[in-house]
Amino acid sequence: MTDAAALPGQPRGTVSSGPATARAVNVLAPNASAMTLDGTNTWLVSEPDSELAVVIDPGPLDEGHLRAVIGAAEQAGKRVALTLLTHGHPDHAEGAGRFAELTGTKVRALDPAQRLGDEGLAAGNVIRTGGLELRVVATPGHTADSLCFHLPADRAVLTGDTILGRGTTVVAHPDGRLGDYLDSLRRLRSLTVDDGVHTVLPGHGPVLDDAQGAAEFYLAHRAHRLAQVETAVENGLTTAEAVVARVYADVDRSLWPAATWSVQAQLEYLRDHGLIPGGPE
């Protein structure tokens, strides 16, 4: 068995519902799969002495899960006052409309199509609810609308799919772009250096206790994959599918369709930077 402290980001191990920091509680959705790992982590965030809570990513449209989130809040003596989305993928956002009905809350998101109410989210926004402070960090790349939420009081960041608790995430081409994603990872690494963030509360997988190590691992992994893709093209492979078969040969084939999105994003990045044929003159 591998020591968790030796793994990238120092994952805590088992993923389950319950407290993760002084202000963040996970309610794990029952939608485990190869793409969602153990399921979607729905985060219930609040000040310990406040009656108001914020929910980040209600998750799939699963009535039992949505009511479990409300039940977790009520058990802690709290009322859900606001719902936020890290991005619009269904495993994070599909249940938001029904959750808004159940709680009477607005839903705030970067993408206007995902909002319920007049107020959206943008980089630099500071959200204050019941004494809780969350800072909005723009982290496009996995998707164009991806956001993270910095929780300064816990020295934590809620990352959605930008950094996962296990493995690495997909750059969901064409909506997701690799250049944006690399910039977002650098932005998160800066939070660890400049703002003392040490805990990652991801959208899937276990909590990570070494946020800087996680960000640096992701950056190194992307650089390694990019070099592999560039070499594959130099060796005559011309399609994303052919590159996946070569570069991701050691990855479960059920993940190859998702890997194809990432490879398409990598090919676009390499072309745009003139590193392989087909880019701008």
Side-chain angles (χ1 to χ4, degrees), residues 68-132:
V69 176
I70 296 168
E74 292 175 343
Q75 187 174 8
K78 301 178 186 294
R79 174 177 63 83
V80 178
L82 180 64
T83 302
L84 306 176
L85 298 179
T86 62
H87 65 297
H89 278 171
D91 55 317
H92 294 258
E94 186 184 36
R98 175 57 177 156
F99 191 71
E101 292 178 359
L102 293 171
T103 59
T105 61
K106 304 297 185 183
V107 177
R108 295 181 64 181
L110 178 62
D111 183 356
Q114 300 292 335
R115 301 173 190 168
L116 288 174
D118 297 330
E119 198 169 10
L121 292 171
N125 285 167
V126 179
I127 298 161
R128 294 183 174 91
T129 303
L132 179 76

Side-chain angles (χ1 to χ4, degrees), residues 3-257:
D3 182 358
L7 296 173
Q10 297 182 16
R12 292 188 186 175
T14 304
V15 183
S16 61
S17 296
T21 67
R23 292 166 179 79
V25 174
N26 182 26
V27 184
L28 182 62
N31 62 332
S33 73
M35 290 296 293
T36 60
L37 305 181
D38 311 85
T40 299
N41 296 328
T42 294
W43 291 103
L44 181 70
V45 189
S46 65
E47 283 296 315
D49 58 354
S50 174
E51 296 180 354
L52 301 179
V54 176
V55 165
I56 298 172
D57 289 352
L61 184 54
D62 181 294
E63 189 79 7
H65 173 64
L66 301 178
R67 292 188 180 275
V69 176
I70 296 168
E74 292 175 343
Q75 187 174 8
K78 301 178 186 294
R79 174 177 63 83
V80 178
L82 180 64
T83 302
L84 306 176
L85 298 179
T86 62
H87 65 297
H89 278 171
D91 55 317
H92 294 258
E94 186 184 36
R98 175 57 177 156
F99 191 71
E101 292 178 359
L102 293 171
T103 59
T105 61
K106 304 297 185 183
V107 177
R108 295 181 64 181
L110 178 62
D111 183 356
Q114 300 292 335
R115 301 173 190 168
L116 288 174
D118 297 330
E119 198 169 10
L121 292 171
N125 285 167
V126 179
I127 298 161
R128 294 183 174 91
T129 303
L132 179 76
E133 180 181 298
L134 288 167
R135 300 175 185 173
V136 180
V137 183
T139 52
H142 168 66
T143 60
D145 68 331
S146 287
L147 299 171
C148 292
F149 299 100
H150 177 200
L151 177 56
D154 283 350
R155 297 173 63 191
V157 61
L158 298 106
T159 56
D161 281 354
T162 300
I163 291 180
L164 304 177
R166 186 171 65 250
T168 55
T169 199
V170 170
V171 179
H173 183 273
D175 184 44
R177 295 177 61 87
L178 181 59
D180 291 342
Y181 186 60
L182 295 174
D183 288 342
S184 294
L185 292 175
R186 296 184 188 106
R187 194 169 297 121
L188 291 176
R189 182 176 59 185
S190 293
L191 281 182
T192 72
V193 175
D194 300 334
D195 296 274
V197 167
H198 61 68
T199 302
V200 173
L201 305 175
H204 304 281
V207 172
L208 301 176
D209 287 319
D210 178 14
Q212 184 174 350
E216 290 176 349
F217 168 76
Y218 265 62
L219 284 164
H221 171 79
R222 283 296 165 197
H224 177 65
R225 285 296 194 208
L226 199 58
Q228 289 180 308
V229 171
E230 184 176 2
T231 298
V233 173
E234 290 172 351
N235 289 335
L237 301 182
T238 59
T239 67
E241 291 76 13
V243 172
V244 167
R246 172 77 59 84
V247 174
Y248 291 80
D250 59 340
V251 174
D252 189 322
R253 284 179 176 247
S254 68
L255 298 175
W256 281 16

